[in-house]
Amino acid sequence: MQPISATNDFVVKFANVNGSGSASANELFARAVLRMGVPVASRNIFPSNIQGLPTWYEVRVSGEGWLGRRGGVDLMVAMNPQTWDKDVASIDPGGYLLYDSTKPLPAAKLRKDVTLLPVPLTEMCNRAYSDPRQRQLFKNITYIGALAFLLGIEATAVQWLIAEQFEGKEKLIAPNLQAFNLGYDYAREHLKNACLLKLARTDKVGNRIFIGGNEAAALGCVWGGAAVCAWYPITPSTSVAEYFTKHCERYRVDPVSKKNRYAVVQAEDEIAAIGMVLGANWNGARAFTATSGPGISLMQEFFGFAYYAEVPAVVFDVQRGGPSTGMPTRTQQSDLLLAAYAGHGDTKHVLLFPEDPREAFEFAAAAFDLAERLQTPVFVMSDLDIAMNDWLCKPFVWEKDRKLDRGKVMTAEDLEAGKTFGRYLDVDGDAIPYRTLPGTHPTLGAYFTRGSSHDGQARYTEEGTLYVAGMQRLLKKFETAKSLVPQPVERSAKEKAKHGVIYYGSTSGAMNEALDTLERQGFRLDALRVRAFPFPENVIDFINAHESVFLVEQNRDAQLQKLLVNECAIDPARFISILHYDGTPITARFITGTIADRLKLAKAKEAAE
């Protein structure tokens, strides 16, 4: 078998044991590649425990700049005996296997079509270090050193990163450099020319940043004017609140009094958290919570209340594998229906679908404007892939003259001037009423906030016609939202295409590569990335312009398809669902292969007819 030969285009996967200290070393590898100007896409696949279970870290090296998972493994760093067989089997034919060769392995544990890269890691670290914990930790840095030589990573890039990582802890720099050099020197002496995967310095990274979606969302909250966060810990959303706290400590402390100008409350449960958020928003603060599917389930009654009483709120739903406890540390896009119709009775909520950390930042800030403009909950539908992995993306941009959109808030001056105020009156024809904030006026503008049936003046009523009028206004307001939410992004094929494809969220990275691959294979597809629900009218136009439309989703039940069928009255037969829901991020190879097979089948059927 001819070994795989590639420059700046391969996949390295690390198989480790959770809690072994490998995470920082593996991330060091990814950042070292970036320092050479070569784009990477990293994916951390880890268990929901502190230590002991298998964990994987995958680094896609792509000189072309693809940021989704490709699929397949070219070089496996196998450090976990428990998953050895599965890890070795996952290597593409002609690939490479780097492993700890301190103890000889039987031939049955190896593959003849894979190039072996044996490094006696345990033996070297046992000689170099006496402390058992150091021996374990530095083993990880040692294999990074070996990889650096094998792939051609500039040693200075790693040295700079180690110095940066341990700034302020200088005593740790020397032993880490020692461990790195152990692996580098061993590979130079024993594995010269053993690997045909190489890195070459480029300038393809540019001025982009490497950041995770939860931190990006937290920054968006700060820039978007959020002052209150109420939350209850749940994977994978917890770090949204933690990063918000971190950035508020920098940006939201009064420089004179040193008092905090923000509040972060860890509630006793998810129900209390959303209740606090609604109370803060009702009082005029911008407030949010961050949770995942199980938390969304618990918050249902409050979502119905916020929808009907028209209280703004922002909710970050960082989706994970379900149902029930499901797979807490795996990714899916499986909360669409849960969030879109959250609450009993007739409810509909605004959903935003960011594709990466940059849009997580942008949509976080925009969500507060939308929530106050529309006076309703707005859900930012992230997922674990975006949230807990670092993505290469353009720097965040904030227009200096951008102002917060507080929506229709009636002031004391408006009330004094005799403007008509009824909390739930539609006076402008867009179905959005005016509101007042507590304390606006001593005698005017007061109303009773209730989740029970009410008329335009916020008075309790069970009069059927008034109830219907109120519910119809809420439906009309949802129509107004179509023009306010982020609009879809369309990509047209080079020639007229009979087929289209719709996708959303973190699927975007793999989808972009798949579209290019399919086009090279002769398959023409127009593509549309939806970025929000309710769906703008051009989503329907796109569907109607094609004979059939593929829908690429990361859930079992084709939830986006169901939303489109339900909301847009589209014949389900128009759609072909491409579903991926094993908990790992979708790959370009999966999308390409599945769509190509369906198109070949359709072409063969046409020829037969």
Side-chain angles (χ1 to χ4, degrees):
M1 172 63 67
Q2 182 69 25
I4 298 172
S5 176
T7 299
N8 294 351
D9 184 17
F10 51 86
V11 174
V12 179
K13 191 169 185 178
F14 301 84
N16 301 99
V17 177
N18 200 33
S20 63
S22 60
S24 58
N26 297 341
E27 184 178 332
L28 179 72
F29 171 81
R31 291 185 180 274
V33 177
L34 287 172
R35 286 293 175 95
M36 293 185 63
V38 183
V40 301
S42 62
R43 297 294 188 276
N44 191 11
I45 303 170
F46 58 98
S48 55
N49 80 330
I50 298 174
Q51 64 181 21
L53 291 181
T55 182
W56 294 269
Y57 187 80
E58 183 178 290
V59 179
R60 169 79 185 280
V61 178
S62 174
E64 296 297 318
W66 301 121
L67 299 180
R69 291 182 72 216
R70 184 199 70 184
V73 178
D74 299 308
L75 194 163
M76 173 67 72
V77 180
M79 301 297 294
N80 188 351
Q82 292 178 320
T83 61
W84 174 274
D85 293 340
K86 181 179 179 181
D87 294 331
V88 172
S90 69
I91 305 170
D92 284 357
Y96 302 84
L97 172 63
L98 192 155
Y99 65 100
D100 185 350
S101 61
T102 299
K103 294 182 179 180
L105 292 171
K109 288 289 184 179
L110 304 172
R111 283 173 52 184
K112 294 182 179 180
D113 62 343
V114 167
T115 298
L116 303 180
L117 304 172
V119 181
L121 296 167
T122 299
E123 179 185 329
M124 289 193 296
C125 288
N126 285 350
R127 285 201 307 263
Y129 307 101
S130 58
D131 180 79
R133 183 59 176 163
Q134 283 189 329
R135 288 174 172 176
Q136 174 60 52
L137 294 175
F138 289 131
K139 190 188 301 183
N140 302 311
I141 300 297
T142 302
Y143 68 62
I144 296 299
L147 283 175
F149 175 79
L150 289 164
L151 300 176
I153 298 175
E154 297 167 1
T156 52
V158 180
Q159 291 163 1
W160 290 336
L161 285 166
I162 289 175
E164 288 177 6
Q165 182 175 338
F166 296 107
E167 184 178 1
K169 301 177 181 178
E170 278 69 21
K171 66 178 183 180
L172 296 177
I173 295 176
N176 273 277
L177 288 175
Q178 178 189 6
F180 173 80
N181 290 328
L182 278 176
Y184 192 94
D185 293 342
Y186 181 89
R188 180 170 55 188
E189 182 178 351
H190 299 279
L191 298 173
K192 191 174 183 179
N193 302 321
C195 182
L196 301 182
L197 303 176
K198 295 298 177 184
L199 285 161
R201 177 170 282 280
T202 69
D203 58 357
K204 296 295 182 65
V205 172
N207 69 337
R208 286 182 288 180
I209 60 177
F210 198 50
I211 190 171
N214 277 354
E215 181 168 12
L219 276 170
C221 292
V222 174
W223 256 249
V228 177
C229 169
W231 64 293
Y232 185 78
I234 184 172
T235 302
S237 70
T238 292
S239 60
V240 176
E242 294 172 341
Y243 280 122
F244 180 72
T245 304
K246 169 188 170 182
H247 293 301
C248 281
E249 288 171 349
R250 179 178 180 184
Y251 296 112
R252 289 289 173 79
V253 177
D254 187 273
V256 178
S257 68
K258 304 302 180 183
K259 291 184 178 180
N260 292 341
R261 301 177 64 184
Y262 66 95
V264 179
V265 182
Q266 181 177 326
E268 61 266 35
D269 55 36
E270 287 90 348
I271 302 172
I274 187 62
M276 293 175 188
V277 167
L278 295 181
N281 277 289
W282 180 86
N283 270 287
R286 287 192 157 186
F288 72 94
T289 191
T291 188
S292 191
I296 298 294
S297 296
L298 290 171
M299 297 176 184
Q300 293 289 304
E301 185 173 355
F302 266 127
F303 290 144
F305 169 79
Y307 172 80
Y308 195 39
E310 298 181 69
V311 180
V314 172
V315 180
F316 292 91
D317 181 0
V318 186
Q319 299 168 90
R320 68 189 207 183
S324 187
T325 306
M327 297 189 291
T329 58
R330 297 292 188 264
T331 194
Q332 281 187 1
Q333 296 173 316
S334 54
D335 292 351
L336 268 68
L337 295 175
L338 174 69
Y341 303 120
H344 57 273
D346 295 321
T347 55
K348 290 186 182 182
H349 301 294
V350 174
L351 313 181
L352 307 183
F353 307 127
E355 68 166 346
D356 62 6
R358 179 186 171 91
E359 283 196 343
F361 170 81
E362 294 174 353
F363 287 8
F368 292 99
D369 284 349
L370 283 168
E372 292 205 293
R373 167 57 60 184
L374 294 165
Q375 299 172 29
T376 197
V378 173
F379 293 75
V380 182
M381 306 297 290
S382 181
D383 60 39
L384 185 144
D385 187 18
I386 295 173
M388 299 191 73
N389 289 312
D390 288 333
W391 290 62
L392 193 62
C393 56
K394 294 179 181 178
F396 306 154
V397 176
W398 190 263
E399 298 174 4
K400 291 183 179 180
D401 58 350
R402 176 173 171 175
K403 296 181 179 179
L404 304 183
D405 184 355
R406 302 307 304 269
K408 294 183 176 181
V409 178
M410 196 166 284
T411 65
E413 291 75 19
D414 294 331
L415 295 168
E416 289 282 2
K419 285 192 175 180
T420 302
F421 175 73
R423 177 61 185 94
Y424 300 115
L425 291 178
D426 179 12
V427 297
D428 297 326
D430 60 1
I432 303 173
Y434 282 84
R435 62 182 176 134
T436 57
L437 300 179
T440 295
H441 194 281
T443 59
L444 301 174
Y447 64 92
F448 193 90
T449 303
R450 62 174 85 243
S452 51
S453 180
H454 46 260
D455 65 10
Q457 300 293 337
R459 296 173 300 207
Y460 177 76
T461 179
E462 292 186 11
E463 178 62 45
T465 55
L466 294 176
Y467 169 79
V468 169
M471 292 295 287
Q472 286 301 114
R473 181 181 59 76
L474 290 172
L475 199 58
K476 184 178 179 182
K477 185 170 73 168
F478 201 66
E479 289 296 311
T480 297
K482 291 181 179 180
S483 64
L484 301 177
V485 298
Q487 300 298 294
V489 176
E490 186 169 357
R491 167 177 168 166
S492 299
K494 293 181 179 179
E495 299 179 28
K496 184 175 176 58
K498 295 192 301 182
H499 306 284
V501 59
I502 293 177
Y503 59 101
Y504 62 102
S506 63
T507 304
S508 175
M511 192 72 230
N512 290 334
E513 182 179 3
L515 287 168
D516 270 27
T517 304
L518 287 164
E519 192 161 3
R520 289 196 301 271
Q521 293 177 358
F523 300 111
R524 294 190 297 273
L525 286 165
D526 294 326
L528 189 75
R529 178 167 69 89
V530 295
R531 302 199 295 166
F533 172 76
F535 305 115
E537 294 300 324
N538 52 5
V539 175
I540 302 175
D541 295 339
F542 178 87
I543 296 168
N544 289 334
H546 297 90
E547 290 183 10
S548 61
V549 176
F550 292 95
L551 289 180
V552 181
E553 306 188 52
Q554 297 187 73
N555 60 68
R556 185 196 69 178
D557 291 344
Q559 294 188 26
L560 180 64
Q561 175 183 325
K562 287 180 170 61
L563 272 182
L564 286 164
V565 170
N566 192 49
E567 297 294 327
C568 304
I570 304 293
D571 181 358
R574 301 284 302 280
F575 295 127
I576 303 171
S577 285
I578 306 297
L579 304 175
H580 181 279
Y581 52 94
D582 68 0
T584 62
I586 197 169
T587 68
R589 285 183 178 179
F590 173 82
I591 297 171
T592 303
T594 308
I595 290 181
D597 288 345
R598 296 298 295 265
L599 290 175
K600 289 174 185 176
L601 186 63
K603 190 174 182 179
K605 187 176 180 180
E606 287 179 7
E609 293 175 350

